């Protein structure tokens, strides 16, 4: 049972980490276009809500690194689960 949980956690971590770089690039593009980045913007860019929640901080940090330290963040606009297509 513990081995199964560990493998599932590893799989989830690997899956979410696949979103970090593409999300960082999307954050840069969205910020350039509109001045702010929300979770809604990222959903419209085809990122699943669960991935946004899991990696938005890492993606924003990577966006900062990619852009020579310009500050990036993701603002959550309070979407309810029934509004999110997964």
């Amino acid at each position: 049972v513990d081995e199964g949980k560990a493998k599932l956690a590893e799989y989830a971590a690997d899956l979410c980490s696949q979103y970090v770089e593409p999300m960082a690039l999307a954050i840069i593009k969205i910020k350039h276009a509109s001045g702010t980045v929300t979770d809604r913007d990222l959903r419209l860019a085809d990122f699943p809500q669960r991935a946004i929640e899991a990696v938005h901080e890492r993606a924003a940090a990577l966006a900062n690194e990619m852009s020579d330290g310009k500050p990036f963040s993701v603002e959550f606009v309070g979407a309810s689960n029934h509004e999110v297509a997964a």
Side-chain angles (χ1 to χ4, degrees):
V1 175
D2 289 336
E3 183 180 328
K5 286 181 181 179
K7 285 185 179 184
L8 182 59
E10 181 180 332
Y11 172 77
D14 287 345
L15 184 62
C16 285
S17 69
Q18 293 175 14
Y19 286 105
V20 173
E21 186 174 344
M23 191 179 296
L25 294 171
I27 288 170
I28 292 169
K29 182 177 179 180
I30 294 164
K31 173 91 175 194
H32 176 73
S34 66
T36 188
V37 182
T38 68
D39 58 322
R40 181 178 186 274
D41 295 325
L42 293 173
R43 285 193 306 276
L44 291 172
D46 294 327
F47 292 98
Q49 182 68 27
R50 288 185 180 147
I52 296 166
E53 291 170 1
V55 302
H56 73 276
E57 290 175 343
R58 286 187 277 170
L62 181 57
N64 292 338
E65 289 177 30
M66 294 171 136
S67 64
D68 296 327
K70 294 178 184 171
F72 288 93
S73 63
V74 176
E75 297 176 21
F76 279 75
V77 294
S80 64
N81 287 337
H82 70 276
E83 296 175 6
V84 177

